[in-house]
Amino acid sequence: MADIFQEAGLPLWLRPYEVLVTSSYTALIETIPDTASLHSIKSRFPSITSLRDFFVAKYQENSPSFKIAQRNFVESMAGYSILCYLLQVKDRHNGNLLMDEEGHIIHIDFGFMLSNSPGSVNFESAPFKLTRELLEVMDSDAEGVPSEFFDYFKVLCIQGFLTCRKHAERIILLVEMLLDSGFPCFKGGPRTIQNLRKRFHLSLTEEVLTVVSDGLKQQCVSLVLSLISSSLDAWRTRQYDYYQRVLNGIW
């Protein structure tokens, strides 16, 4: 997906990292330098009660560096939101979300995706994580009040989805090749691939696309906006964060 965004000239930002497999159960995972999890940031600075407070303290509100960090945040949020929706990445608590020095969000730990979830219960039913504190960095709130950066986020999500949709078969093939690997994320069997394909909404043929491309694009825009609306400070997402806070002390 990072390659797809780059090929299309889109500013959606992802941080791929290398994994060197050493056995069926072990691997060496590349370190991502100059980052800290959202949980560790809050633990390190007790006076900071929200991610917005951290941005204000680190980048100085209304300064050029603050605006650059916000833009970096939005571009990475959009990239990972589309990735998390299409691949159904779960276990998105604040210990699995990193922040780099430039303000980018980076997701790690992809042990739950496609068809498996923590505790075998799909508690994180929202398309992707879009909690109040993430929205506040975009000058929005839990209600999704319009702002320059939140509107930019919406535009990027739409562009990212339309672009990934053009390369759906390329993505689906990579996933399908691993269907018989025995990985836990394929516990759903062939339905895992079927559901992945459904999330791309590929109901129209190429012939139809050339005739009604504008209408199709409008349908995709409506779809992505509905995904964002469904994710806005979703109750089940907040409850999963609360569960992690109580059980594992992850803030």
Side-chain angles (χ1 to χ4, degrees):
M1 287 188 190
D3 289 342
I4 288 169
F5 295 147
Q6 188 173 22
E7 290 165 10
L10 293 175
L12 287 91
W13 191 93
L14 297 172
R15 173 54 164 91
Y17 54 86
E18 299 292 332
V19 178
L20 177 63
V21 176
T22 55
S23 79
S24 299
Y25 298 95
T26 59
L28 297 174
I29 302 177
E30 178 188 352
T31 299
I32 305 179
D34 300 320
T35 61
S37 70
L38 302 191
H39 164 68
S40 65
I41 289 172
K42 292 179 179 181
S43 301
R44 195 184 309 166
F45 305 104
S47 60
I48 290 175
T49 58
S50 70
L51 196 56
R52 173 83 186 196
D53 289 344
F54 174 74
F55 265 68
V56 169
K58 184 174 179 63
Y59 302 108
Q60 300 182 336
E61 193 169 17
N62 298 322
S63 69
S65 60
F66 187 84
K67 295 295 183 183
I68 291 171
Q70 278 184 300
R71 179 170 291 272
N72 290 338
F73 177 84
V74 171
E75 290 173 354
S76 58
M77 270 291 299
Y80 279 106
S81 293
I82 295 302
L83 182 147
C84 286
Y85 163 66
L86 291 175
L87 298 183
Q88 290 291 286
V89 181
K90 303 300 180 185
D91 200 26
R92 298 301 86 199
H93 57 70
N94 285 345
N96 286 336
L97 300 183
L98 306 185
M99 177 78 66
D100 71 8
E101 288 294 314
E102 298 172 334
H104 297 107
I105 280 281
I106 302 170
H107 285 239
I108 60 170
D109 192 347
F110 300 99
F112 296 98
M113 60 192 298
L114 293 174
S115 68
N116 67 331
S117 301
S120 298
V121 178
N122 184 16
F123 201 82
E124 300 163 272
S125 57
F128 43 81
K129 186 167 188 173
L130 192 59
T131 54
R132 177 195 298 266
E133 69 171 351
L134 299 174
L135 288 158
E136 287 173 348
V137 179
M138 297 187 252
D139 298 327
S140 186
D141 60 14
E143 303 300 321
V145 65
S147 72
E148 177 188 348
F149 282 112
F150 188 42
D151 290 345
Y152 183 44
F153 170 76
K154 293 177 184 177
V155 169
L156 290 180
C157 285
I158 291 166
Q159 291 176 331
F161 178 76
L162 286 169
T163 302
C164 284
R165 192 179 180 281
K166 292 177 183 176
H167 297 270
E169 296 301 336
R170 177 179 172 186
I171 297 169
I172 293 168
L173 178 60
L174 283 171
V175 177
E176 196 169 19
M177 287 166 61
L178 293 169
L179 182 59
D180 296 323
S181 64
F183 290 166
C185 59
F186 291 104
K187 73 170 191 174
R191 187 173 294 178
T192 304
I193 306 301
Q194 294 167 11
N195 290 337
L196 171 61
R197 185 176 293 276
K198 283 180 182 178
R199 288 191 290 276
F200 283 100
H201 293 263
L202 300 173
S203 57
L204 298 178
T205 64
E206 283 297 319
E207 291 75 14
V208 177
L209 286 177
T210 58
V211 178
V212 294
S213 57
D214 289 341
L216 171 66
K217 190 171 291 187
Q218 187 57 49
Q219 291 173 5
C220 288
V221 167
S222 298
L223 169 68
V224 176
L225 291 178
S226 72
L227 295 176
I228 293 171
S229 179
S230 298
S231 301
L232 272 176
D233 203 37
W235 179 81
R236 290 173 73 89
T237 304
R238 283 188 279 115
Q239 286 301 112
Y240 187 72
D241 279 343
Y242 175 75
Y243 165 82
Q244 289 292 339
R245 187 158 60 247
V246 171
L247 198 68
N248 299 313
I250 297 174
W251 290 83

mmCIF file of all heavy atoms in Angstrom, residues 168-178 196-197:
data_model
loop_
_atom_site.group_PDB
_atom_site.id
_atom_site.type_symbol
_atom_site.label_atom_id
_atom_site.label_comp_id
_atom_site.label_asym_id
_atom_site.label_seq_id
_atom_site.Cartn_x
_atom_site.Cartn_y
_atom_site.Cartn_z
ATOM 1 N N ALA A 168 -6.861 -3.393 -6.262
ATOM 2 C CA ALA A 168 -7.451 -4.393 -5.364
ATOM 3 C C ALA A 168 -6.923 -5.790 -5.636
ATOM 4 O O ALA A 168 -6.554 -6.518 -4.710
ATOM 5 C CB ALA A 168 -8.973 -4.362 -5.495
ATOM 6 N N GLU A 169 -6.865 -6.180 -6.897
ATOM 7 C CA GLU A 169 -6.427 -7.545 -7.223
ATOM 8 C C GLU A 169 -4.976 -7.774 -6.807
ATOM 9 O O GLU A 169 -4.604 -8.871 -6.401
ATOM 10 C CB GLU A 169 -6.605 -7.815 -8.717
ATOM 11 C CG GLU A 169 -8.061 -7.787 -9.189
ATOM 12 C CD GLU A 169 -8.949 -8.803 -8.473
ATOM 13 O OE1 GLU A 169 -8.418 -9.810 -7.957
ATOM 14 O OE2 GLU A 169 -10.167 -8.576 -8.403
ATOM 15 N N ARG A 170 -4.175 -6.732 -6.910
ATOM 16 C CA ARG A 170 -2.768 -6.799 -6.499
ATOM 17 C C ARG A 170 -2.662 -7.067 -4.995
ATOM 18 O O ARG A 170 -1.839 -7.871 -4.542
ATOM 19 C CB ARG A 170 -2.115 -5.474 -6.876
ATOM 20 C CG ARG A 170 -0.679 -5.278 -6.495
ATOM 21 C CD ARG A 170 -0.239 -3.896 -7.003
ATOM 22 N NE ARG A 170 1.078 -3.528 -6.531
ATOM 23 C CZ ARG A 170 1.631 -2.337 -6.739
ATOM 24 N NH1 ARG A 170 0.963 -1.422 -7.425
ATOM 25 N NH2 ARG A 170 2.833 -2.052 -6.275
ATOM 26 N N ILE A 171 -3.508 -6.404 -4.221
ATOM 27 C CA ILE A 171 -3.502 -6.581 -2.761
ATOM 28 C C ILE A 171 -4.111 -7.923 -2.375
ATOM 29 O O ILE A 171 -3.561 -8.667 -1.548
ATOM 30 C CB ILE A 171 -4.260 -5.424 -2.081
ATOM 31 C CG1 ILE A 171 -3.545 -4.092 -2.360
ATOM 32 C CG2 ILE A 171 -4.391 -5.662 -0.581
ATOM 33 C CD1 ILE A 171 -4.345 -2.863 -1.953
ATOM 34 N N ILE A 172 -5.244 -8.256 -2.980
ATOM 35 C CA ILE A 172 -5.945 -9.503 -2.654
ATOM 36 C C ILE A 172 -5.068 -10.709 -2.961
ATOM 37 O O ILE A 172 -5.016 -11.672 -2.190
ATOM 38 C CB ILE A 172 -7.284 -9.594 -3.418
ATOM 39 C CG1 ILE A 172 -8.252 -8.517 -2.904
ATOM 40 C CG2 ILE A 172 -7.910 -10.976 -3.271
ATOM 41 C CD1 ILE A 172 -9.488 -8.323 -3.767
ATOM 42 N N LEU A 173 -4.335 -10.664 -4.085
ATOM 43 C CA LEU A 173 -3.472 -11.788 -4.469
ATOM 44 C C LEU A 173 -2.397 -12.037 -3.418
ATOM 45 O O LEU A 173 -2.123 -13.191 -3.053
ATOM 46 C CB LEU A 173 -2.827 -11.517 -5.827
ATOM 47 C CG LEU A 173 -1.854 -12.599 -6.333
ATOM 48 C CD1 LEU A 173 -2.571 -13.937 -6.482
ATOM 49 C CD2 LEU A 173 -1.214 -12.174 -7.647
ATOM 50 N N LEU A 174 -1.793 -10.965 -2.908
ATOM 51 C CA LEU A 174 -0.759 -11.123 -1.887
ATOM 52 C C LEU A 174 -1.311 -11.799 -0.637
ATOM 53 O O LEU A 174 -0.645 -12.638 -0.025
ATOM 54 C CB LEU A 174 -0.184 -9.750 -1.516
ATOM 55 C CG LEU A 174 0.812 -9.134 -2.498
ATOM 56 C CD1 LEU A 174 1.123 -7.693 -2.107
ATOM 57 C CD2 LEU A 174 2.093 -9.952 -2.564
ATOM 58 N N VAL A 175 -2.537 -11.435 -0.264
ATOM 59 C CA VAL A 175 -3.169 -12.041 0.908
ATOM 60 C C VAL A 175 -3.555 -13.487 0.608
ATOM 61 O O VAL A 175 -3.323 -14.397 1.409
ATOM 62 C CB VAL A 175 -4.405 -11.227 1.332
ATOM 63 C CG1 VAL A 175 -5.112 -11.890 2.520
ATOM 64 C CG2 VAL A 175 -4.003 -9.803 1.703
ATOM 65 N N GLU A 176 -4.124 -13.706 -0.571
ATOM 66 C CA GLU A 176 -4.612 -15.035 -0.951
ATOM 67 C C GLU A 176 -3.484 -16.060 -1.013
ATOM 68 O O GLU A 176 -3.685 -17.240 -0.716
ATOM 69 C CB GLU A 176 -5.314 -14.942 -2.301
ATOM 70 C CG GLU A 176 -6.179 -16.136 -2.630
ATOM 71 C CD GLU A 176 -7.046 -15.875 -3.850
ATOM 72 O OE1 GLU A 176 -6.735 -14.955 -4.630
ATOM 73 O OE2 GLU A 176 -8.039 -16.603 -4.013
ATOM 74 N N MET A 177 -2.290 -15.620 -1.385
ATOM 75 C CA MET A 177 -1.138 -16.523 -1.464
ATOM 76 C C MET A 177 -0.816 -17.180 -0.122
ATOM 77 O O MET A 177 -0.224 -18.258 -0.063
ATOM 78 C CB MET A 177 0.094 -15.757 -1.968
ATOM 79 C CG MET A 177 0.053 -15.407 -3.440
ATOM 80 S SD MET A 177 1.303 -14.166 -3.899
ATOM 81 C CE MET A 177 2.812 -15.030 -3.467
ATOM 82 N N LEU A 178 -1.220 -16.526 0.971
ATOM 83 C CA LEU A 178 -0.899 -17.013 2.315
ATOM 84 C C LEU A 178 -2.065 -17.731 2.987
ATOM 85 O O LEU A 178 -1.993 -18.066 4.161
ATOM 86 C CB LEU A 178 -0.452 -15.842 3.187
ATOM 87 C CG LEU A 178 0.875 -15.190 2.788
ATOM 88 C CD1 LEU A 178 1.074 -13.879 3.543
ATOM 89 C CD2 LEU A 178 2.033 -16.128 3.055
ATOM 90 N N LEU A 196 -12.439 -9.679 2.413
ATOM 91 C CA LEU A 196 -11.472 -8.674 1.967
ATOM 92 C C LEU A 196 -11.921 -8.074 0.641
ATOM 93 O O LEU A 196 -11.921 -6.850 0.457
ATOM 94 C CB LEU A 196 -10.086 -9.303 1.822
ATOM 95 C CG LEU A 196 -9.003 -8.443 1.158
ATOM 96 C CD1 LEU A 196 -8.749 -7.163 1.959
ATOM 97 C CD2 LEU A 196 -7.700 -9.241 0.999
ATOM 98 N N ARG A 197 -12.328 -8.926 -0.273
ATOM 99 C CA ARG A 197 -12.793 -8.452 -1.577
ATOM 100 C C ARG A 197 -14.027 -7.554 -1.425
ATOM 101 O O ARG A 197 -14.145 -6.531 -2.101
ATOM 102 C CB ARG A 197 -13.109 -9.654 -2.475
ATOM 103 C CG ARG A 197 -13.498 -9.291 -3.905
ATOM 104 C CD ARG A 197 -13.695 -10.538 -4.740
ATOM 105 N NE ARG A 197 -12.440 -11.238 -4.939
ATOM 106 C CZ ARG A 197 -11.573 -10.927 -5.906
ATOM 107 N NH1 ARG A 197 -11.841 -9.938 -6.747
ATOM 108 N NH2 ARG A 197 -10.450 -11.600 -6.039
#
